Structures are given as structure tokens and as C-alpha cells.
Amino acid sequence: MSESVSVWTFEVGAERVGTRLDVFVNECAQLSRSQCKRLCELSMITVNGETKKAGYSLKSGDCVSVTCPPDRELDLQGQDIPISIVYEDDDLAIVDKPQGMVVHPAPGAYEGTLVHALLYRLQSLSSINGVIRPGIVHRLDKDTSGLLAIAKNDAAHVDLQRQIAEKTACRVYIALCDGQFAHAQGVIDTYLDRSAKDRKKMAVMREARGRRAVTHYRVLKSYRNYTLVQFVLETGRTHQIRVHAKHIGHPVVGDATYGGSNAFDLAGQLLHATQLELTHPTVGRRMRFSTPIPEYFAQVLRRIASQSADDVEVRDVLVAQRGIEILDDLSK
């Protein structure tokens, strides 16, 4: 791991005016709120060159500078856990995370995480997110499967996080939702924050509280009781797609936390990060990675197809989803 100090900067756009400094750094630099507070106290987070408190309200055009001290040696031990690495070079890796795997160590999950598997299989990981989350640029919920970008060095990490913050990285999901959608496509634009009733859950705020969350959706196939939907993230809030799906009355099938049905004895929600598009942090080449839906997801669709009057069309949808290949050499 790198022993050098990491420094990176972010400019505050008009859409982030009024955001707390620690919330902004949490999103852009993927540091926890407690880490942000500590760095503010150490004058290692500044706004326009001046030290500010974690609760400082940002203004348009503010330049936020974040300085992270070098990490101590990683004390986590790699574990020989099978994972699917669909692409890897000197700067990044693209991993297809399975359902049921926690991304990084946290209370209740100190072993068997994706980070443990990465430490075992990759020669290097970025140090920006500290000893608990090395290489982790963005996350997926435990029971959401699909593609994650992993940074193998600090420079790549900063660039990939910038792309996510500036919305130039594209993340596409496929989900099976309850009920039939009234519109073939649309945009869900709300504010999300922790639920006052259950701090482990997120909730839509009726006023401009919390953080803005924007999700685009397009119906892929409507069934009698379900809808296969493509979701595209414009922002990346905790549980965003799951909360937005519930908000519009169509929770993700298998999502017990947010009211999804479970007639198929599922271990978790039918939500899969099927496509990830980004610009390579070193060579500048635009790259698109895709992965088919997992087999358990496909089995559910087959069961629905077997009961459908338009069985041929449903099978065509299945073939199309499962026929996507990795596009690891897609130039601009």
C-alpha cells in the first residue's frame, strides 16, 4: 500500500449548495462521517483554503480539499473466497459480486467479505479508504449482486470517485418489481435520509431534507403481477433503487426490508448491477462492462414465463439479458 499522503479536491456545483461539508465529502471521497469529522478537526479538510467545521453549509463554487494521512499497514488477512473478476489491469478490477456477500468488514460481518477476497487475489489495492475498505470505490448492498469497480492504486481511486461524483460513470441495474408500472419509463427524483423509525432503513423525505436521489427507469417486460425493469442511477445513495421502487408502489421482489413480495423463496432482492460504464483512469478509454443476471434470477423469470400467454417474447427477453458479454475494449 502507498505510504504517501493522499490529497484531492472537489468543486461544489449549484445542485450541492447547502449540503453539509461532511455529507459532501462522504459522497465524493467515500469517507465515513466520523472520518470527515476527525479530518475537519485536524484541519485536513478545507474549503477555499480555510478550515471549516463538519457541519459547514457549502456554497456554489466552493473548492473542497481533502488530505488523508498515510494508512497503517493493513491488518486484515486475505481469504481464499471464490469471486468472479471479469476484468483486471494495473489500475482497476471489475468484480461481479454475488448475492449474500458483504462488500467490506462491518459490525456483524468481520469475515468472508469482498475485501477479504480481494486482499487474497489482487496484488495491490488503493489505500484511500483506509484499512477496512481498501480499493472500494462504490458499494452494493449485501443482497444485491453485480458489478463493482475496484481501484488498485490511489490515483485510479481518486479518478474513479471523481467520475461517480460528476455523474460521468454510468451504472445500470435490472430488477424484478411487484405489480405493473403505469408508465414505460420515467424519473424518480426525491430526497433520501435515514428513517426516523428505523435507522437501518432509508426513507423518502417529503421536503428537501437529506440528500437528493435521482433514478431513471425503463420497463423491459410487463407480466401479470410483476415488471422487469431497468434502473439507471444518476446519484448513488444508500438503498436508492430499493427505496425508490417502494416509493412508487413497486418494491423489488424479495426485498423484505422494503416490502417486496417473496413467492419464490428468495434469499434476497432480485436486483442486479448488470452494466458499468466508465473512463479508464490512466489510458482515458471509455469502457463498458456487462454481466448477465444470476441463475436464481433467471429461474424466477423462467417460472413466470412458463405461466405467460406470450411465452416466446418472454424467452427472448431472457436470452437478450443472458447474452451480454464483457466489453472490455470499447473505445470512444
Side-chain angles (χ1 to χ4, degrees):
M1 294 296 170
S2 172
E3 294 292 334
S4 62
V5 173
S6 299
V7 181
W8 62 102
T9 60
F10 303 96
E11 183 174 346
V12 179
E15 74 280 2
R16 300 313 305 272
V17 170
T19 302
R20 284 174 56 105
L21 176 59
D22 56 352
V23 171
F24 180 80
V25 174
N26 167 258
E27 177 186 346
C28 295
Q30 294 291 298
L31 297 176
S32 68
R33 296 281 287 276
S34 61
Q35 285 176 306
C36 294
K37 181 178 179 180
R38 180 172 61 86
L39 291 178
C40 285
E41 292 171 348
L42 295 172
S43 299
M44 301 185 79
I45 295 179
T46 62
V47 180
N48 304 323
E50 299 180 358
T51 300
K52 300 292 184 182
K53 292 184 178 181
Y56 170 77
S57 183
L58 292 169
K59 300 177 178 60
S60 181
D62 277 348
C63 181
V64 177
S65 177
V66 182
T67 302
C68 279
D71 286 314
R72 60 185 171 89
E73 287 296 315
L74 287 175
D75 54 10
L76 292 177
Q77 298 298 315
Q79 296 178 334
D80 187 5
I81 303 169
I83 55 173
S84 175
I85 299 176
V86 298
Y87 175 81
E88 181 184 1
D89 60 27
D90 291 339
D91 298 295
L92 77 157
I94 305 297
V95 176
D96 189 355
K97 186 189 84 68
Q99 184 184 69
M101 176 177 277
V102 175
V103 171
H104 59 77
Y110 291 109
E111 298 288 336
T113 71
L114 177 63
V115 162
H116 287 92
L118 294 173
L119 288 170
Y120 183 87
R121 300 195 177 277
L122 301 185
Q123 296 299 312
S124 64
L125 291 169
S126 71
S127 63
I128 285 177
N129 270 347
V131 298
I132 300 299
R133 297 185 291 166
I136 302 301
V137 177
H138 59 118
R139 286 163 284 183
L140 292 175
D141 299 334
K142 174 185 175 182
D143 290 326
T144 298
S145 58
L147 298 178
L148 279 171
I150 306 299
K152 297 183 67 177
N153 55 65
D154 288 0
H157 196 129
V158 170
D159 189 80
L160 291 171
Q161 284 188 335
R162 176 190 58 77
Q163 292 184 49
I164 291 175
E166 295 179 355
K167 303 179 179 63
T168 58
C170 181
R171 291 167 286 173
V172 180
Y173 294 70
I174 288 179
L176 186 67
C177 295
D178 285 317
Q180 291 190 334
F181 281 52
H183 305 285
Q185 59 186 11
V187 180
I188 310 167
D189 189 344
T190 71
Y191 287 83
L192 299 184
D193 204 350
R194 291 286 173 185
S195 169
K197 297 180 180 179
D198 185 348
R199 300 300 291 175
K200 294 181 180 180
K201 298 171 63 174
M202 303 298 290
V204 170
M205 300 291 106
R206 294 187 179 277
E207 300 176 0
R209 292 168 45 213
R211 291 187 285 177
R212 190 182 180 208
V214 182
T215 306
H216 301 257
Y217 72 85
R218 179 170 66 89
V219 170
L220 298 177
K221 175 64 184 176
S222 294
Y223 307 105
R224 179 179 302 173
N225 299 311
Y226 306 101
T227 305
L228 189 65
V229 186
Q230 179 189 82
F231 290 101
V232 180
L233 290 179
E234 183 172 321
T235 57
R237 312 304 179 205
T238 301
H239 300 177
Q240 178 172 318
I241 291 175
R242 298 164 61 192
V243 178
H244 271 172
K246 175 186 178 181
H247 177 64
I248 62 174
H250 302 289
V252 178
V253 172
D255 188 354
T257 301
Y258 293 105
S261 67
N262 194 353
F264 305 102
D265 194 26
L266 299 167
Q269 60 268 8
L270 292 183
L271 177 61
H272 180 66
T274 188
Q275 190 174 103
L276 175 61
E277 185 173 327
L278 50 83
T279 300
H280 193 281
T282 299
V283 301
R285 184 177 60 208
R286 193 71 177 171
M287 306 177 78
R288 182 186 300 143
F289 305 93
S290 304
T291 182
I293 58 175
E295 180 58 25
Y296 61 83
F297 196 151
Q299 287 179 358
V300 171
L301 294 185
R302 291 192 192 101
R303 286 179 61 179
I304 296 174
S306 67
Q307 303 168 2
S308 175
D310 52 356
D311 184 47
V312 174
E313 183 180 352
V314 175
R315 280 201 299 267
D316 289 344
V317 171
L318 271 174
V319 170
Q321 295 301 327
R322 294 183 58 79
I324 298 175
E325 299 294 334
I326 302 302
L327 302 176
D328 61 2
D329 193 26
L330 184 66
S331 301
K332 290 183 178 180

